[in-house]
């Protein structure tokens, strides 16, 4: 294992955040363009520019992926990313200008800080200015600033989520992931099954175990708009749009291995896949590796998070 989405050549990652407001955004730049696919599994997504990524549609490459807090309001920041790229002459050539293709997805973090302040045009532009070729700042950063996990019993018993990343290299092939973990469910260790972060018990000294709680007592609950885990998988393998979409689909297995429950009607779980190279590898192999790095990135996100906004974090229980 290496560790970063930027281990894939041609990727830059930048963040901007407002810690007082409890929100932020993250931009993944691929200025030379990347063949892209997307798979949306959650029942409450907040996205833009995902239809054009379908294999049968015209545009072949995207120039950035924007991840944000702020719920649907946060999609405004993608316009700042477009402005940054247009000024650099990057985008889909329409004659009079070049139109940057910037798909986006958001999480709900409005109950964490000041709901009146959300990622906007200026914050999206700032994230572009902050892009680097190594995304080694994790946890409470960018779109992970206001992320929380384990909300089945309400925000009061939730814990801090965040932004995480991971990568794997086999020969010349690199597959990497960056995720923002803001799930309804608990986050577990894929190897042991132990809960790392999630819904706390009534005394907040341990975990309630969401799945077991659901098994023991079926209740009707309103989780409207509190959740969603989003992410980007990137590889230096050569993929078609269909191959990128299939990879994004298989990458969701990484969520399923580490988040319990996942893909609920109250999550907008979305994964983008970017192909930026010419390494030959079959889609099945890439998809299997994508699921592995997504699972690692989810664990990385909660282990990197710091206690904040009145929420405990994984680190709160580590001596």
């Amino acid at each position: 294992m290496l560790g970063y989405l930027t281990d894939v050549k041609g990727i830059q990652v930048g963040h901007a955040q407002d810690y007082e407001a409890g929100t932020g955004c993250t931009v993944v730049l691929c200025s030379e363009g990347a063949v892209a696919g997307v798979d949306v599994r959650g029942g409450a997504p907040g996205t833009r520019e995902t239809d054009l990524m379908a294999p049968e549609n015209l545009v072949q490459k995207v120039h950035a992926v924007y991840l944000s807090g702020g719920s649907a309001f946060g999609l405004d920041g993608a316009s700042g990313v477009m402005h940054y790229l247009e000024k650099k002459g990057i985008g889909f050539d329409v004659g009079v200008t070049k139109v940057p293709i910037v798909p986006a997805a958001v999480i709900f973090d409005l109950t964490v800080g000041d709901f009146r302040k959300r990622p906007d045009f200026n914050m999206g532009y700032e994230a572009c200015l902050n892009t680097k070729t190594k995304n080694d700042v994790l946890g409470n950063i960018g779109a992970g600033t206001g992320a929380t996990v384990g909300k089945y019993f309400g925000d009061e018993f939730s814990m801090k989520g965040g932004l995480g990343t991971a990568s794997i290299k086999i020969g010349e092939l690199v597959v990497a992931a960056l995720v923002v973990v803001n799930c309804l469910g608990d986050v577990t260790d894929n190897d042991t099954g132990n809960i790392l972060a999630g819904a706390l018990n009534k005394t907040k000294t341990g975990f309630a175990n969401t799945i077991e709680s659901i098994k023991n007592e079926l209740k009707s609950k309103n989780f409207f708009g509190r959740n969603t885990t989003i992410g980007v998988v990137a590889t230096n393998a050569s993929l078609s749009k269909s191959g990128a979409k299939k990879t994004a689909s298989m990458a969701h297995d990484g969520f399923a291995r580490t988040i319990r429950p996942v893909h609920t009607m109250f999550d907008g779980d979305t994964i983008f896949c970017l192909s930026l190279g010419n390494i030959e590898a079959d889609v099945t192999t890439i998809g299997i590796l994508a699921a592995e790095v997504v699972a690692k990135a989810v664990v990385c996100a909660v282990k990197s998070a710091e206690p904040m906004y009145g929420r405990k974090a994984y680190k709160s229980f580590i001596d």
Side-chain angles (χ1 to χ4, degrees):
M1 283 287 178
L2 300 175
Y4 308 114
L5 187 72
T6 48
D7 290 331
V8 176
K9 187 177 180 180
I11 292 282
Q12 292 181 291
V13 173
H15 310 286
Q17 54 282 318
D18 181 335
Y19 284 115
E20 182 179 346
T23 193
C25 65
T26 295
V27 62
V28 177
L29 289 185
C30 38
S31 299
E32 298 300 318
V35 176
V38 65
D39 191 341
V40 181
R41 294 285 180 92
T47 59
R48 59 166 268 171
E49 300 280 43
T50 52
D51 285 350
L52 63 77
M53 300 170 74
E56 69 271 18
N57 289 338
L58 174 66
V59 174
Q60 294 300 304
K61 293 186 175 183
V62 305
H63 306 99
V65 175
Y66 170 81
L67 308 177
S68 180
S71 190
F73 297 111
L75 291 171
D76 182 37
S79 296
V81 180
M82 290 186 68
H83 181 63
Y84 173 87
L85 291 170
E86 185 187 23
K87 286 175 63 177
K88 291 185 172 295
I90 296 169
F92 182 76
D93 194 343
V94 295
V96 293
T97 188
K98 291 184 178 179
V99 180
I101 307 301
V102 184
V106 295
I107 66 168
F108 185 98
D109 57 7
L110 300 181
T111 58
V112 173
D114 185 347
F115 73 92
R116 296 165 297 184
K117 297 179 180 179
R118 307 114 182 190
D120 57 10
F121 180 99
N122 292 330
M123 188 180 285
Y125 190 86
E126 180 186 352
C128 292
L129 295 176
N130 293 336
T131 53
K132 298 179 179 179
T133 56
K134 188 173 183 180
N135 64 298
D136 56 353
V137 182
L138 307 171
N140 303 1
I141 190 75
T145 300
T148 52
V149 303
K151 287 162 276 189
Y152 184 76
F153 300 102
D155 286 333
E156 179 185 355
F157 298 99
S158 67
M159 289 179 62
K160 191 69 184 67
L163 182 144
T165 185
S167 70
I168 188 168
K169 183 177 181 181
I170 300 178
E172 294 184 336
L173 175 67
V174 180
V175 181
L178 179 150
V179 299
V180 178
V181 183
N182 186 61
C183 52
L184 170 69
D186 302 329
V187 175
T188 64
D189 186 312
N190 184 38
D191 296 324
T192 66
N194 294 332
I195 297 174
L196 302 175
L200 296 170
N201 59 25
K202 291 183 179 180
T203 61
K204 299 184 181 181
T205 56
F207 302 113
N209 194 319
T210 298
I211 292 292
E212 291 304 315
S213 297
I214 292 171
K215 289 179 181 178
N216 293 332
E217 187 174 8
L218 186 62
K219 291 183 177 181
S220 176
K221 288 182 174 289
N222 177 13
F223 313 103
F224 176 72
R226 298 175 183 170
N227 317 296
T228 296
T229 298
I230 53 180
V232 178
V233 167
T235 180
N236 63 351
S238 177
L239 293 174
S240 64
K241 288 180 73 176
S242 296
K245 179 175 175 60
K246 183 60 177 177
T247 299
S249 177
M250 293 180 70
H252 272 280
D253 288 352
F255 284 172
R257 294 170 190 170
T258 51
I259 301 172
R260 303 182 69 228
V262 71
H263 301 143
T264 75
M265 288 298 293
F266 306 98
D267 289 284
D269 303 327
T270 300
I271 294 181
F272 299 96
C273 174
L274 304 175
S275 167
L276 297 93
N278 55 12
I279 301 299
E280 294 297 326
D282 66 275
V283 174
T284 296
T285 298
I286 299 168
I288 291 169
L289 297 177
E292 287 292 311
V293 292
V294 165
K296 294 289 187 182
V298 170
V299 171
C300 171
V302 296
K303 286 189 173 182
S304 300
E306 300 287 345
M308 190 175 270
Y309 308 114
R311 271 81 169 181
K312 290 186 175 182
Y314 168 82
K315 294 180 180 180
S316 303
F317 295 100
I318 302 300
D319 294 330

